[in-house]
Amino acid sequence: MVGGALVDSFGNGLFMAASTLYFVGVVKFPAAHVAAVLSIAAVFGLASPLPLGHVADRYGAVRIYLVLMCIRSAGYAAYAFVHEFSGYAVLTCLLCAADRACSPLLQVIVSNVAGDEERTRALASIRAVRNAGLTAGLLAAGVALGLDVPFAFQAVFLVNAASFLVIAGMARWAVRVARVAAGPAPVADRAAVQAPYRNVRFLVFTAANSVLSLYDSLLLVLLPVWIVQRTGLPHAWLSVLLAVNTVLTILLQAYVHRFATTVRGSLRLLRVTAVALCLSCGLFALAEEVPRWVALGPAAAAVVALTLGENLHSVASWELSFALAPEAARARYLATFSMGMTGQRIIGPALLVGVLLPLHLWAWGVVAALFAAATAVAVWSGRPPALPAPRSTTGTADAAARQE
């Protein structure tokens, strides 16, 4: 499964580097129209996980995941032959919906393959290799696109398409070796489970988690604008700061997962996450106030703190979302949970850049307050109802540890 994630992220890196450049620069679609399609496609990506999660609970996560992989392979291959804008628009919306639906299904499959003891470690390993694969894909695409001929772009699309068939084969092999059932849970079990959109506690946790995930938009969207408008740092330092985030993520995911193997451990990790994220906000504010020649120090420290919070939050949220999701409806619940991250990617850039950035130093105080409030809500709502509160006696502590 980790190998499949590496292949997947390599193909994503290829596509990310080539797609917009090809359709705007080679096929000559208007850039504004391409941007509009990507925004509309994001809405399809927001809406698709829940209905497809319901289908996966009905027919089996493995089966639906493999079908989606085949659809993605055919769709990304079709990009090489699209010359009409209408075809590009339909294909992009379809593929964005399929892409976003695969993420929660992959979490279900990895959890079943790895088991409870190795689930968080496996997901952390997947996250680490995704960063490495994405970087390799971007570099490989740069070499191919340096030829500056349409065939090079089309070859990149076809290689990406082939990668999904490879991933499907690797996932099918892993499931077979691990002897994971491809079919759904019994109908009686599925019928007895409350739907995720009626589970208020789970929805509150999902919403709080999406606010905590604002670090994603902060890093990828706000940081470049902030460097230009607020610090006066040379633009080249943006690449260095993003590289710090990527390298640290690869290193941290191999270590931090061990602190999120239980529900209580994950809840403690959320509190540490809040400290790291709020510290990063303070360092970003400091970097705005110091002279330009020393601003790089606090800016780099802010990215380090932000990356630490990002990685602590990711492993804690995996464990807690899985614990809150009933087994018979796990695909539906994790699909609903993933919608929070997708929603953050739609709302986050506008909130951070359009609303908060003009507040100057006050912006970092507001962001820190959002992180702190979201953590408090997530810690409250992230405790499964069946998990007892901690007690002081040794005997009850031992019993709670056994339950975890």
Side-chain angles (χ1 to χ4, degrees), residues 66-371:
L66 295 179
V67 169
L68 288 174
M69 281 294 154
C70 293
I71 291 173
R72 293 171 78 187
S73 178
Y76 280 101
Y79 268 129
F81 309 101
V82 167
H83 299 288
E84 298 293 333
F85 183 77
S86 59
Y88 166 77
V90 171
L91 196 57
T92 300
C93 292
L94 172 66
L95 288 173
C96 191
D99 290 345
R100 292 303 304 158
C102 281
S103 180
L105 297 184
L106 178 64
Q107 187 178 350
V108 173
I109 296 169
V110 170
S111 300
N112 291 337
V113 168
D116 291 342
E117 296 296 324
E118 294 293 327
R119 177 177 65 243
T120 304
R121 180 183 179 185
L123 291 170
S125 299
I126 285 175
R127 191 170 192 269
V129 301
R130 280 192 182 282
N131 282 274
L134 186 65
T135 302
L138 291 169
L139 293 174
V143 173
L145 301 183
L147 300 175
D148 198 24
V149 293
F151 174 75
F153 290 92
Q154 294 164 350
V156 165
F157 295 152
L158 294 175
V159 170
N160 183 37
S163 73
F164 292 109
L165 297 180
V166 175
I167 299 161
M170 296 176 80
R172 184 69 188 93
W173 178 86
V175 167
R176 186 172 66 251
V177 171
R179 299 181 180 179
V180 174
V187 174
D189 293 346
R190 297 200 308 273
V193 173
Q194 185 180 30
Y197 51 83
R198 293 180 179 176
N199 188 328
V200 176
R201 191 185 191 94
F202 183 78
L203 292 178
V204 169
F205 178 74
T206 298
N209 184 77
S210 68
V211 175
L212 275 172
S213 301
L214 279 172
Y215 57 71
D216 183 70
S217 293
L218 195 162
L219 183 69
L220 298 178
V221 181
L222 179 61
L223 181 62
V225 179
W226 175 78
I227 284 180
V228 173
Q229 295 187 2
R230 296 284 183 264
T231 68
L233 287 170
H235 299 177
W237 284 112
L238 173 62
S239 298
V240 175
L241 294 176
L242 292 177
V244 168
N245 171 264
T246 301
V247 173
L248 273 180
T249 295
I250 295 173
L251 297 176
L252 285 171
Q253 286 296 302
Y255 177 73
V256 298
H257 68 84
R258 66 190 65 188
F259 301 108
T261 55
T262 66
V263 170
R264 285 203 181 98
S266 300
L267 293 172
R268 286 193 295 269
L269 219 54
L270 281 183
R271 298 184 181 98
V272 181
T273 294
V275 174
L277 294 178
C278 291
L279 176 61
S280 73
C281 291
L283 290 167
F284 278 124
L286 177 62
E288 288 191 25
E289 290 298 292
V290 298
R292 183 174 66 177
W293 59 275
V294 295
L296 181 62
V303 171
V304 170
L306 187 73
T307 304
L308 176 62
E310 171 191 357
N311 284 274
L312 293 176
H313 171 254
S314 65
V315 295
S317 63
W318 292 332
E319 182 66 24
L320 293 172
S321 62
F322 196 86
L324 291 169
E327 184 176 0
R330 193 149 281 157
R332 274 178 289 169
Y333 269 74
L334 294 181
T336 303
F337 182 74
S338 75
M339 292 170 68
M341 174 60 84
T342 306
Q344 180 277 136
R345 289 174 177 168
I346 296 173
I347 299 173
L351 173 66
L352 292 175
V353 177
V355 178
L356 296 182
L357 187 62
L359 299 178
H360 298 276
L361 286 181
W362 287 102
W364 297 113
V366 174
V367 174
L370 286 173
F371 284 144

Side-chain angles (χ1 to χ4, degrees), residues 26-46:
V26 178
V27 185
K28 303 299 183 183
F29 293 154
H33 292 183
V34 170
V37 166
L38 292 175
S39 297
I40 295 170
V43 177
F44 280 82
L46 176 66

Side-chain angles (χ1 to χ4, degrees), residues 59 63 80 103 241 381:
Y59 296 103
R63 292 172 180 168
S103 180
L241 294 176
S381 57

